[in-house]
Amino acid sequence: MSITNTNERQYPLSAVLDLGIAQIGVGAEVRFRVPPNAILTGLAVQTVVAFNSATTATLSISDGATTFAAAVDVRTVGAEVVANLAAFYPSGGTLTISMVQTGAAATVGRVIVVATYQVLNRVNEVQG
């Protein structure tokens, strides 16, 4: 059995999405295209300004087959739990971020979503 060493390295790629009250509701979803041969390695959801809707305000992230974040509460400031990682997209894919609320409409709120991924066979540098 032989040992294979690789000296090729790549930087992670990230999409940073800054969402507010304009992205709440059907038709206001935000979509992020994942390139072919990408491996989704992380999703971070950080509520930085609590949404002040009367009853609920939630955020979900899905690629159509897997739901990574399901109805996470964005009415409190802080990091939200994201599950079901990682995912591989040999032909590319789309992540959809949707938010819904019940009760009186929110007048303030801000959540930042960061999707981190690597692309198979993409090389940024070769280490000696």
Side-chain angles (χ1 to χ4, degrees):
M1 174 181 267
S2 65
I3 297 173
T4 302
N5 293 313
T6 182
N7 58 355
E8 298 175 345
R9 303 290 184 263
Q10 85 169 252
Y11 309 121
L13 299 169
S14 296
V16 180
L17 307 159
D18 193 350
L19 310 173
I21 59 172
Q23 286 77 43
I24 296 174
V26 176
E29 300 88 354
V30 175
R31 290 183 175 83
F32 164 66
R33 301 230 3 113
V34 181
N37 292 316
I39 302 168
L40 183 65
T41 57
L43 277 170
V45 177
Q46 180 74 38
T47 303
V48 294
V49 175
F51 287 77
N52 67 342
S53 63
T55 308
T56 65
T58 61
L59 175 143
S60 297
I61 304 171
S62 174
D63 65 3
T66 302
T67 299
F68 300 105
V72 296
D73 184 12
V74 292
R75 292 190 68 217
T76 55
V77 171
E80 309 299 338
V81 176
V82 178
N84 298 325
L85 288 174
F88 178 55
Y89 301 96
S91 301
T94 302
L95 296 180
T96 300
I97 299 134
S98 56
M99 293 194 296
V100 296
Q101 64 185 348
T102 59
T107 57
V108 297
R110 182 179 181 202
V111 62
I112 298 170
V113 176
V114 179
T116 304
Y117 60 97
Q118 309 287 136
V119 178
L120 192 62
N121 299 318
R122 180 179 165 267
V123 178
N124 291 105
E125 65 182 65
V126 177
Q127 296 188 348

